[in-house]
Amino acid sequence: MFKNTTKCFAILSVLLLSGCAQILTAEQSAPEINFSTTEKPLTIAVIDKREYVVNNDKTPAFEGLIRSGFGIPYSYNTPTNEAMSVYLTNRLLAGFSKRGIKAESVETSPNMSIDSAVTQVSKNGSKSIIFVLNEWKYDYHALSDNSWYNLDLMIIDENGNEKLVKNFTGENDIPGGAIVNEMQLIYKQRFEAIFKDAEVIQALSL
């Protein structure tokens, strides 16, 4: 009986993840950048500082949990198995590219300090945006289908000085459908909301 239940859950998980739908690409799920306050190149870095990633309880590719009918959690990675920092960076770069803004990325790791990240992005001599992921996951099961985020946004000027540090925190319900794509659309909306923030627009325009 338990084996049959486990098998059914495995099948259900595959359906939830894919929904028999084609997985969206970085370009298809890229956030729309609505401001045109900068024509100069940007440098982008996403640093994964989620506690369970930093302490190696989860891998850098960890995206969220899907629970069985018994509430047993099963960990799932990004659809591409890329580290979350890389996965999100690729979508951000695609968004800026669509807007005609040249953007480059800096590779990061969970054990990299924030100061080191600032030093790395400042080497290009361009304005930089650093996203620090404090929380970023989903938990999907019969009684709940929520996802959470908590990130610090840092905007660094061409000289390596902080222009803005601002926290963005929130929770999103997961709509019905293929969770692998629904989450990408949720990420898209999160970044679009951040780039519409008045303080962010002002800091990028200075």
Side-chain angles (χ1 to χ4, degrees):
M1 176 68 177
F2 181 75
K3 287 184 178 179
N4 289 336
T5 302
T6 302
K7 183 177 180 180
C8 289
F9 175 71
I11 294 172
L12 177 60
S13 295
V14 171
L15 292 174
L16 284 171
L17 286 170
S18 67
C20 298
Q22 185 175 359
I23 297 175
L24 295 174
T25 65
E27 289 71 24
Q28 291 171 325
S29 56
E32 293 184 15
I33 309 299
N34 293 316
F35 63 85
S36 56
T37 56
T38 177
E39 296 179 355
K40 297 180 180 179
L42 290 171
T43 302
I44 299 173
V46 178
I47 309 177
D48 194 343
K49 286 296 183 181
R50 294 177 293 177
E51 182 179 359
Y52 40 82
V53 174
V54 174
N55 66 20
N56 295 316
D57 183 50
K58 301 292 184 184
T59 71
F62 173 74
E63 185 173 23
L65 303 170
I66 293 182
R67 297 178 185 267
S68 70
F70 298 105
I72 301 172
Y74 294 86
S75 296
Y76 285 87
N77 292 340
T78 59
T80 58
N81 267 324
E82 294 171 304
M84 181 59 75
S85 59
V86 175
Y87 187 70
L88 295 178
T89 295
N90 288 340
R91 281 143 187 79
L92 288 165
L93 290 175
F96 281 107
S97 178
K98 284 184 178 180
R99 186 63 179 177
I101 300 173
K102 183 180 179 181
E104 299 179 350
S105 63
V106 170
E107 186 177 351
T108 65
S109 63
N111 58 7
M112 175 184 283
S113 69
I114 305 302
D115 287 342
S116 295
V118 172
T119 299
Q120 288 295 321
V121 298
S122 299
K123 287 181 178 180
N124 291 341
S126 58
K127 190 167 291 184
S128 307
I129 307 174
I130 299 176
F131 294 93
V132 183
L133 305 182
N134 303 309
E135 182 59 282
W136 192 281
K137 72 174 182 181
Y138 63 76
D139 192 337
Y140 194 99
H141 56 94
L143 301 178
S144 178
D145 57 355
N146 287 350
S147 61
W148 299 268
Y149 67 99
N150 179 317
L151 65 83
D152 294 317
L153 170 69
M154 303 176 65
I155 297 178
I156 313 297
D157 69 12
E158 294 85 349
N159 299 313
N161 301 312
E162 293 181 3
K163 301 299 294 183
L164 176 69
V165 178
K166 186 169 184 176
N167 180 264
F168 292 87
T169 303
E171 180 178 341
N172 304 103
D173 291 335
I174 304 172
I179 191 172
V180 66
N181 286 336
E182 294 297 342
M183 291 312 305
Q184 290 198 68
L185 296 177
I186 286 173
Y187 302 158
K188 177 178 183 292
Q189 293 167 5
R190 288 175 184 174
F191 285 120
E192 287 175 347
I194 289 172
F195 287 124
K196 288 179 181 177
D197 181 87
E199 289 183 283
V200 173
I201 293 175
Q202 182 180 21
L204 286 172
S205 65
L206 296 178

